[in-house]
Amino acid sequence: MTTLPAIDVTGLDCGYDGKAILSGLNFSVQRGEIFFVIGGSGCGKSTLLRNLIGLLRPLAGQVKFSGESFTNADAARRRELLRTFGVLYQSAALWSSLSLRENITLPLEEYTELTRDERDELAALKLAQVGLTGYEDYFPAEISGGMKKRAGLARALALDPEIVFFDEPSAGLDPVTSRSLDELILAIRATLGTTCVVVSHELDSIFAIADRVIMLDKQARGIIAAGDPRVLARESKDPRVQEFFHRAAFPEAAPNSH
Amino acid sequence: MPATPATPAPCAVLHEEDGVLTIALGGRWRITSPRPAWDPPTERTPRMIRLRMDEVEAWDSAIVLYAFTVSRWARSAGVGFDASALNPAVRDLLQKMEGARETIVPLDRSKNFFTVVGLIASDLWTEKKEISHFVGECVISAGYLARNPRKFRWRDCLSEMQACGAMALPIVSLIAFLVGLTLAYIGAVVLRQFGADIWVADLVGLTMVREMGAVMTAIVLAGRTGAAYAATLGNMRANEEIDALETLGIRPVDFLVIPRIVALGVMMPLLALYANALGIIGGMAVAAGVLDIPPTAYWIEMLTIVDLSDVSTGLIKAFTFGIIVGISGCMRGMQAHRSAAGVGLAATSAVVTAILFIIVSDALYAVIFNILGW
């Protein structure tokens, strides 16, 4: 296996209508890493995510997956690259007219030569992996919010991607469900060595599962801190970083450093 | 991931010894690329199948699927299956896959004939109740706002008037003109046989003023404005904006519905009047161009039959239709389910409800005006 980073971002400017919200971003995500993009509301976390997954075009700079440019790829190559990652959207974005099985088999139908039976077996496996064994015939409207997120993750895993992007996975979930989703992220990484990129501002999740974080800031329009969140919380001198990590009480991970 | 130049294809090498069939898997297993097929041994059934994956460079669900196929065959053929040499993660996934198809969380969507009939009947009853309820709420709100005019949202009402009235002028003009034109052509075909061409003026004038002006405008507005109201309110429902009004103690009907209904109630008669005029001009154009009737003659002939009572019956209808379009649009929007599909359904159902009630009330008016001799 190559040692190239799973994602490499160089000189990335992103924003809307030619106006950059974030500029000059440089960072890379290693294989098998659980990488968090954190920061307060409106700092551009979601914009960055949309640039990484190709929903928005960078204003400048580029995004590379395993050393290969995603930004400059031609249409055919881009399609190839698209299937190497999965995305769990904030609202799970399950297709409401399809059952959970069909939600998962659709990408398989699109990209593989598997037979219908094999696809169904895989859908059952993916649902079992996220703890929804036996829910194949349910429609998204018939399951709860936490289950939708799990099913969304099962769909993101359908093609065994190397990278899974999570957009605010804990949004709208109770702490227990949110915690179980964190565990699921760890389990997926342990089983398949998947690289996980999580956009979140949930301190509990950050301290529980993140290997490394980058913190974005609205005023700085870029990265103001990077590294292990536990170390950052303890040792960073930057008041913005301190404010972010210590806004919520989290005794073990955020000991008093004053 | 980008294809490395020399990607070793996945392979499965079979080797039998003492009745133990060892399958050595190797290469890179990717779900998106082809994988070796499992051909069950035909000559001699082994006693045991053992899977190994020491030579595997990379794997994903593809290898699990292969192992699953083999294990299923082994079970059906009564052959022992040994997965102990597999990577623990693969073994775990294999177990999950085997367990997955045995568990089914029961879900009953079946309905028998009687249930369906019962549901339809109860839906109809609920529908009737909901409509009465909503109309009642509107009446109460209207009464309240009439007593407290300062609470009425004049600004919203004016902007709705602009949206449903002024901005609808182009489409109403086009449709009314074409309806007048069509009526004149049809009238001409019949009347010409009796040399009564001039009566085209009466036909077009009376039909537009009493009937078509109001009905066509109402149908255009049901599609244009009624659907928009349903979508807007449906979206607000999905966004919890309506809940936010309720928890503030503001009746959503006062705030959102009455201004819209008033806007339509005011604008619909005005638009219908305008449609009447354009319909008559449409008829006049055909008369002048095809039947050689000069516009003055057309006008004078029309005035002999169309009088103020005809115009006012048309306007009474138009006012009613305006209220109907407003109520159905707002009602469907307020009842919308909190989802993207719910908003779409609300818009569709607003148009259907509005057109249904427009036609029904038009027929009622025909009977009433006939009895009253208007």
mmCIF file with all atom_site columns, all heavy atoms in Angstrom, chain A residues 199-212:
data_model
loop_
_atom_site.group_PDB
_atom_site.id
_atom_site.type_symbol
_atom_site.label_atom_id
_atom_site.label_alt_id
_atom_site.label_comp_id
_atom_site.label_asym_id
_atom_site.label_entity_id
_atom_site.label_seq_id
_atom_site.pdbx_PDB_ins_code
_atom_site.Cartn_x
_atom_site.Cartn_y
_atom_site.Cartn_z
_atom_site.occupancy
_atom_site.B_iso_or_equiv
_atom_site.pdbx_formal_charge
_atom_site.auth_seq_id
_atom_site.auth_comp_id
_atom_site.auth_asym_id
_atom_site.auth_atom_id
_atom_site.pdbx_PDB_model_num
ATOM 1   N N   . VAL A 1 199 ? -16.852 16.582 9.866  1.00 0.00 ? 199 VAL A N   1
ATOM 2   C CA  . VAL A 1 199 ? -17.068 17.998 10.124 1.00 0.00 ? 199 VAL A CA  1
ATOM 3   C C   . VAL A 1 199 ? -17.996 18.078 11.320 1.00 0.00 ? 199 VAL A C   1
ATOM 4   O O   . VAL A 1 199 ? -19.081 17.496 11.294 1.00 0.00 ? 199 VAL A O   1
ATOM 5   C CB  . VAL A 1 199 ? -17.732 18.668 8.906  1.00 0.00 ? 199 VAL A CB  1
ATOM 6   C CG1 . VAL A 1 199 ? -18.244 20.047 9.277  1.00 0.00 ? 199 VAL A CG1 1
ATOM 7   C CG2 . VAL A 1 199 ? -16.746 18.763 7.775  1.00 0.00 ? 199 VAL A CG2 1
ATOM 8   N N   . SER A 1 200 ? -17.555 18.734 12.386 1.00 0.00 ? 200 SER A N   1
ATOM 9   C CA  . SER A 1 200 ? -18.376 18.714 13.588 1.00 0.00 ? 200 SER A CA  1
ATOM 10  C C   . SER A 1 200 ? -17.927 19.810 14.532 1.00 0.00 ? 200 SER A C   1
ATOM 11  O O   . SER A 1 200 ? -16.820 20.321 14.436 1.00 0.00 ? 200 SER A O   1
ATOM 12  C CB  . SER A 1 200 ? -18.234 17.353 14.268 1.00 0.00 ? 200 SER A CB  1
ATOM 13  O OG  . SER A 1 200 ? -18.955 17.349 15.477 1.00 0.00 ? 200 SER A OG  1
ATOM 14  N N   . HIS A 1 201 ? -18.801 20.190 15.465 1.00 0.00 ? 201 HIS A N   1
ATOM 15  C CA  . HIS A 1 201 ? -18.323 21.042 16.547 1.00 0.00 ? 201 HIS A CA  1
ATOM 16  C C   . HIS A 1 201 ? -18.741 20.434 17.886 1.00 0.00 ? 201 HIS A C   1
ATOM 17  O O   . HIS A 1 201 ? -18.838 21.115 18.887 1.00 0.00 ? 201 HIS A O   1
ATOM 18  C CB  . HIS A 1 201 ? -18.815 22.482 16.400 1.00 0.00 ? 201 HIS A CB  1
ATOM 19  C CG  . HIS A 1 201 ? -20.267 22.581 16.095 1.00 0.00 ? 201 HIS A CG  1
ATOM 20  N ND1 . HIS A 1 201 ? -20.793 23.542 15.289 1.00 0.00 ? 201 HIS A ND1 1
ATOM 21  C CD2 . HIS A 1 201 ? -21.290 21.820 16.469 1.00 0.00 ? 201 HIS A CD2 1
ATOM 22  C CE1 . HIS A 1 201 ? -22.092 23.361 15.186 1.00 0.00 ? 201 HIS A CE1 1
ATOM 23  N NE2 . HIS A 1 201 ? -22.410 22.319 15.895 1.00 0.00 ? 201 HIS A NE2 1
ATOM 24  N N   . GLU A 1 202 ? -18.987 19.111 17.842 1.00 0.00 ? 202 GLU A N   1
ATOM 25  C CA  . GLU A 1 202 ? -19.421 18.401 19.034 1.00 0.00 ? 202 GLU A CA  1
ATOM 26  C C   . GLU A 1 202 ? -18.190 18.012 19.851 1.00 0.00 ? 202 GLU A C   1
ATOM 27  O O   . GLU A 1 202 ? -17.457 17.107 19.482 1.00 0.00 ? 202 GLU A O   1
ATOM 28  C CB  . GLU A 1 202 ? -20.190 17.159 18.585 1.00 0.00 ? 202 GLU A CB  1
ATOM 29  C CG  . GLU A 1 202 ? -21.048 16.538 19.630 1.00 0.00 ? 202 GLU A CG  1
ATOM 30  C CD  . GLU A 1 202 ? -22.160 17.453 20.065 1.00 0.00 ? 202 GLU A CD  1
ATOM 31  O OE1 . GLU A 1 202 ? -22.749 18.150 19.221 1.00 0.00 ? 202 GLU A OE1 1
ATOM 32  O OE2 . GLU A 1 202 ? -22.435 17.477 21.269 1.00 0.00 ? 202 GLU A OE2 1
ATOM 33  N N   . LEU A 1 203 ? -17.951 18.725 20.955 1.00 0.00 ? 203 LEU A N   1
ATOM 34  C CA  . LEU A 1 203 ? -16.719 18.501 21.727 1.00 0.00 ? 203 LEU A CA  1
ATOM 35  C C   . LEU A 1 203 ? -16.590 17.051 22.183 1.00 0.00 ? 203 LEU A C   1
ATOM 36  O O   . LEU A 1 203 ? -15.513 16.466 22.130 1.00 0.00 ? 203 LEU A O   1
ATOM 37  C CB  . LEU A 1 203 ? -16.692 19.419 22.951 1.00 0.00 ? 203 LEU A CB  1
ATOM 38  C CG  . LEU A 1 203 ? -16.342 20.870 22.648 1.00 0.00 ? 203 LEU A CG  1
ATOM 39  C CD1 . LEU A 1 203 ? -16.433 21.700 23.907 1.00 0.00 ? 203 LEU A CD1 1
ATOM 40  C CD2 . LEU A 1 203 ? -14.947 20.971 22.049 1.00 0.00 ? 203 LEU A CD2 1
ATOM 41  N N   . ASP A 1 204 ? -17.716 16.461 22.626 1.00 0.00 ? 204 ASP A N   1
ATOM 42  C CA  . ASP A 1 204 ? -17.659 15.078 23.117 1.00 0.00 ? 204 ASP A CA  1
ATOM 43  C C   . ASP A 1 204 ? -17.085 14.150 22.055 1.00 0.00 ? 204 ASP A C   1
ATOM 44  O O   . ASP A 1 204 ? -16.206 13.341 22.337 1.00 0.00 ? 204 ASP A O   1
ATOM 45  C CB  . ASP A 1 204 ? -19.068 14.583 23.497 1.00 0.00 ? 204 ASP A CB  1
ATOM 46  C CG  . ASP A 1 204 ? -19.592 15.327 24.705 1.00 0.00 ? 204 ASP A CG  1
ATOM 47  O OD1 . ASP A 1 204 ? -18.834 16.147 25.241 1.00 0.00 ? 204 ASP A OD1 1
ATOM 48  O OD2 . ASP A 1 204 ? -20.746 15.091 25.099 1.00 0.00 ? 204 ASP A OD2 1
ATOM 49  N N   . SER A 1 205 ? -17.599 14.287 20.826 1.00 0.00 ? 205 SER A N   1
ATOM 50  C CA  . SER A 1 205 ? -17.121 13.421 19.750 1.00 0.00 ? 205 SER A CA  1
ATOM 51  C C   . SER A 1 205 ? -15.664 13.713 19.445 1.00 0.00 ? 205 SER A C   1
ATOM 52  O O   . SER A 1 205 ? -14.874 12.798 19.206 1.00 0.00 ? 205 SER A O   1
ATOM 53  C CB  . SER A 1 205 ? -17.924 13.655 18.474 1.00 0.00 ? 205 SER A CB  1
ATOM 54  O OG  . SER A 1 205 ? -19.252 13.327 18.663 1.00 0.00 ? 205 SER A OG  1
ATOM 55  N N   . ILE A 1 206 ? -15.314 15.000 19.427 1.00 0.00 ? 206 ILE A N   1
ATOM 56  C CA  . ILE A 1 206 ? -13.952 15.373 19.074 1.00 0.00 ? 206 ILE A CA  1
ATOM 57  C C   . ILE A 1 206 ? -12.967 14.701 20.029 1.00 0.00 ? 206 ILE A C   1
ATOM 58  O O   . ILE A 1 206 ? -12.005 14.051 19.600 1.00 0.00 ? 206 ILE A O   1
ATOM 59  C CB  . ILE A 1 206 ? -13.780 16.906 19.119 1.00 0.00 ? 206 ILE A CB  1
ATOM 60  C CG1 . ILE A 1 206 ? -14.668 17.560 18.057 1.00 0.00 ? 206 ILE A CG1 1
ATOM 61  C CG2 . ILE A 1 206 ? -12.325 17.293 18.911 1.00 0.00 ? 206 ILE A CG2 1
ATOM 62  C CD1 . ILE A 1 206 ? -14.796 19.058 18.190 1.00 0.00 ? 206 ILE A CD1 1
ATOM 63  N N   . PHE A 1 207 ? -13.243 14.829 21.335 1.00 0.00 ? 207 PHE A N   1
ATOM 64  C CA  . PHE A 1 207 ? -12.315 14.243 22.307 1.00 0.00 ? 207 PHE A CA  1
ATOM 65  C C   . PHE A 1 207 ? -12.389 12.724 22.294 1.00 0.00 ? 207 PHE A C   1
ATOM 66  O O   . PHE A 1 207 ? -11.407 12.055 22.584 1.00 0.00 ? 207 PHE A O   1
ATOM 67  C CB  . PHE A 1 207 ? -12.591 14.777 23.706 1.00 0.00 ? 207 PHE A CB  1
ATOM 68  C CG  . PHE A 1 207 ? -12.150 16.196 23.866 1.00 0.00 ? 207 PHE A CG  1
ATOM 69  C CD1 . PHE A 1 207 ? -13.041 17.183 24.245 1.00 0.00 ? 207 PHE A CD1 1
ATOM 70  C CD2 . PHE A 1 207 ? -10.829 16.550 23.625 1.00 0.00 ? 207 PHE A CD2 1
ATOM 71  C CE1 . PHE A 1 207 ? -12.625 18.498 24.377 1.00 0.00 ? 207 PHE A CE1 1
ATOM 72  C CE2 . PHE A 1 207 ? -10.407 17.864 23.756 1.00 0.00 ? 207 PHE A CE2 1
ATOM 73  C CZ  . PHE A 1 207 ? -11.309 18.844 24.138 1.00 0.00 ? 207 PHE A CZ  1
ATOM 74  N N   . ALA A 1 208 ? -13.556 12.175 21.961 1.00 0.00 ? 208 ALA A N   1
ATOM 75  C CA  . ALA A 1 208 ? -13.706 10.728 22.044 1.00 0.00 ? 208 ALA A CA  1
ATOM 76  C C   . ALA A 1 208 ? -13.012 10.014 20.898 1.00 0.00 ? 208 ALA A C   1
ATOM 77  O O   . ALA A 1 208 ? -12.393 8.978  21.107 1.00 0.00 ? 208 ALA A O   1
ATOM 78  C CB  . ALA A 1 208 ? -15.186 10.353 22.079 1.00 0.00 ? 208 ALA A CB  1
ATOM 79  N N   . ILE A 1 209 ? -13.105 10.520 19.685 1.00 0.00 ? 209 ILE A N   1
ATOM 80  C CA  . ILE A 1 209 ? -12.623 9.699  18.565 1.00 0.00 ? 209 ILE A CA  1
ATOM 81  C C   . ILE A 1 209 ? -11.607 10.366 17.644 1.00 0.00 ? 209 ILE A C   1
ATOM 82  O O   . ILE A 1 209 ? -10.992 9.687  16.836 1.00 0.00 ? 209 ILE A O   1
ATOM 83  C CB  . ILE A 1 209 ? -13.798 9.156  17.708 1.00 0.00 ? 209 ILE A CB  1
ATOM 84  C CG1 . ILE A 1 209 ? -14.581 10.276 17.057 1.00 0.00 ? 209 ILE A CG1 1
ATOM 85  C CG2 . ILE A 1 209 ? -14.708 8.269  18.540 1.00 0.00 ? 209 ILE A CG2 1
ATOM 86  C CD1 . ILE A 1 209 ? -15.595 9.763  16.039 1.00 0.00 ? 209 ILE A CD1 1
ATOM 87  N N   . ALA A 1 210 ? -11.437 11.702 17.727 1.00 0.00 ? 210 ALA A N   1
ATOM 88  C CA  . ALA A 1 210 ? -10.567 12.351 16.735 1.00 0.00 ? 210 ALA A CA  1
ATOM 89  C C   . ALA A 1 210 ? -9.101  12.000 16.968 1.00 0.00 ? 210 ALA A C   1
ATOM 90  O O   . ALA A 1 210 ? -8.618  12.024 18.092 1.00 0.00 ? 210 ALA A O   1
ATOM 91  C CB  . ALA A 1 210 ? -10.749 13.861 16.795 1.00 0.00 ? 210 ALA A CB  1
ATOM 92  N N   . ASP A 1 211 ? -8.387  11.656 15.861 1.00 0.00 ? 211 ASP A N   1
ATOM 93  C CA  . ASP A 1 211 ? -6.939  11.496 15.956 1.00 0.00 ? 211 ASP A CA  1
ATOM 94  C C   . ASP A 1 211 ? -6.286  12.864 15.826 1.00 0.00 ? 211 ASP A C   1
ATOM 95  O O   . ASP A 1 211 ? -5.334  13.187 16.502 1.00 0.00 ? 211 ASP A O   1
ATOM 96  C CB  . ASP A 1 211 ? -6.423  10.621 14.807 1.00 0.00 ? 211 ASP A CB  1
ATOM 97  C CG  . ASP A 1 211 ? -6.911  9.201  14.947 1.00 0.00 ? 211 ASP A CG  1
ATOM 98  O OD1 . ASP A 1 211 ? -7.064  8.748  16.080 1.00 0.00 ? 211 ASP A OD1 1
ATOM 99  O OD2 . ASP A 1 211 ? -7.157  8.560  13.907 1.00 0.00 ? 211 ASP A OD2 1
ATOM 100 N N   . ARG A 1 212 ? -6.835  13.640 14.893 1.00 0.00 ? 212 ARG A N   1
ATOM 101 C CA  . ARG A 1 212 ? -6.242  14.932 14.602 1.00 0.00 ? 212 ARG A CA  1
ATOM 102 C C   . ARG A 1 212 ? -7.364  15.877 14.188 1.00 0.00 ? 212 ARG A C   1
ATOM 103 O O   . ARG A 1 212 ? -8.369  15.430 13.630 1.00 0.00 ? 212 ARG A O   1
ATOM 104 C CB  . ARG A 1 212 ? -5.245  14.792 13.441 1.00 0.00 ? 212 ARG A CB  1
ATOM 105 C CG  . ARG A 1 212 ? -3.948  15.549 13.619 1.00 0.00 ? 212 ARG A CG  1
ATOM 106 C CD  . ARG A 1 212 ? -2.825  14.839 12.868 1.00 0.00 ? 212 ARG A CD  1
ATOM 107 N NE  . ARG A 1 212 ? -3.177  14.565 11.493 1.00 0.00 ? 212 ARG A NE  1
ATOM 108 C CZ  . ARG A 1 212 ? -3.050  15.467 10.497 1.00 0.00 ? 212 ARG A CZ  1
ATOM 109 N NH1 . ARG A 1 212 ? -2.591  16.671 10.720 1.00 0.00 ? 212 ARG A NH1 1
ATOM 110 N NH2 . ARG A 1 212 ? -3.383  15.132 9.265  1.00 0.00 ? 212 ARG A NH2 1
#
